[in-house]
Amino acid sequence: MTPDETLELRLADHARWLASTGGEGTRLDLTDADLGDIDLAGRDLREAVLAGARLTGASLAGADLGRANLAGASLSGADLTGADLTRANLDLVHASRALLTGARLYRASCMQADLRQATLDGADLTRTGFSRTDLTSASLRDARLDRTAFDEVTLDRADVAGATGTVLGEAAAAALRALGADVQAYVAPPTQPGSPEARRPGAPRPGAH
């Protein structure tokens, strides 16, 4: 059996695992696997474990990587155009020159990620967590920001023209505006009277006796 045939069997097993909510099949675990230049475009890789995997130059365009673990993976030069990375773990990834145009990174974690010269044009960065991330010379043109965290990131020569929305913290907002983004610091809505957040600890609920 060729490596490609083995991988197809493992992908089919993963599909059964997803469909049965873990009752059948096996979760795909390719930790530290050498998958350079592989074509996984459009594949369902939700919750797959790809930590430390070598995916340099891989085609993952349109792939569903929701909740996948890609921590420490090498994605340099990989094509993730239109990929869904909702809640994915992208901590410590090496993704310089990666293509993430139109990708969805809702609540994805990108702590200490290397995204130098990466392209995130038009990406959905709602609640994405960039912490100590290197975005040197990255392109975030027209990216959609909503409560996006830019905590101690490097934005040297980053292109953020057309990026709009809100980010966490005035310092981050000011840094992005200085580069040409149309962003504001997120301001939490006021707490409504009677909401759980407004009640004192131990205070009775309205109508309680």
Side-chain angles (χ1 to χ4, degrees):
M1 186 176 294
T2 68
D4 286 347
E5 290 172 335
T6 300
L7 180 58
E8 285 299 323
L9 287 175
R10 295 183 70 178
L11 287 167
D13 219 22
H14 183 67
R16 287 194 296 274
W17 182 81
L18 288 171
S20 65
T21 321
E24 299 177 8
T26 305
R27 183 182 188 182
L28 184 65
D29 188 339
L30 295 169
T31 300
D32 296 327
D34 188 348
L35 302 168
D37 298 315
I38 196 169
D39 186 356
L40 292 170
R43 304 303 290 261
D44 189 349
L45 300 170
R46 285 174 295 153
E47 301 187 49
V49 181
L50 297 159
R54 178 179 174 272
L55 290 156
T56 305
S59 177
L60 292 156
D64 190 343
L65 288 151
R67 295 182 182 274
N69 182 1
L70 290 141
S74 177
L75 290 161
S76 297
D79 184 359
L80 292 109
T81 302
D84 189 345
L85 291 149
T86 297
R87 296 180 183 271
N89 182 351
L90 296 167
D91 295 344
L92 300 169
V93 297
H94 303 280
S96 60
R97 302 181 307 284
L99 298 177
L100 290 143
T101 304
R104 187 167 193 253
L105 284 84
Y106 174 76
R107 285 186 179 271
S109 177
C110 299
M111 183 179 295
Q112 293 182 267
D114 178 2
L115 291 169
R116 290 173 296 165
Q117 301 180 57
T119 302
L120 295 104
D121 296 348
D124 180 358
L125 303 178
T126 300
R127 296 197 178 190
T128 306
F130 294 109
S131 178
R132 287 169 283 171
T133 305
D134 192 346
L135 288 159
T136 299
S137 298
S139 180
L140 290 83
R141 296 178 67 88
D142 302 316
R144 183 160 68 86
L145 311 177
D146 181 0
R147 290 162 284 180
T148 309
F150 288 90
D151 182 18
E152 298 182 50
V153 301
T154 302
L155 288 163
D156 296 344
R157 299 181 299 283
D159 185 353
V160 296
T164 60
T166 62
V167 299
L168 300 182
E170 182 54 45
L176 289 162
R177 284 197 297 269
L179 292 169
D182 181 14
V183 299
Q184 303 295 326
Y186 174 71
V187 178
T191 302
Q192 297 298 317
S195 68
E197 294 82 1
R199 299 186 192 116
R200 291 182 296 102
R205 294 175 177 272
H209 299 288

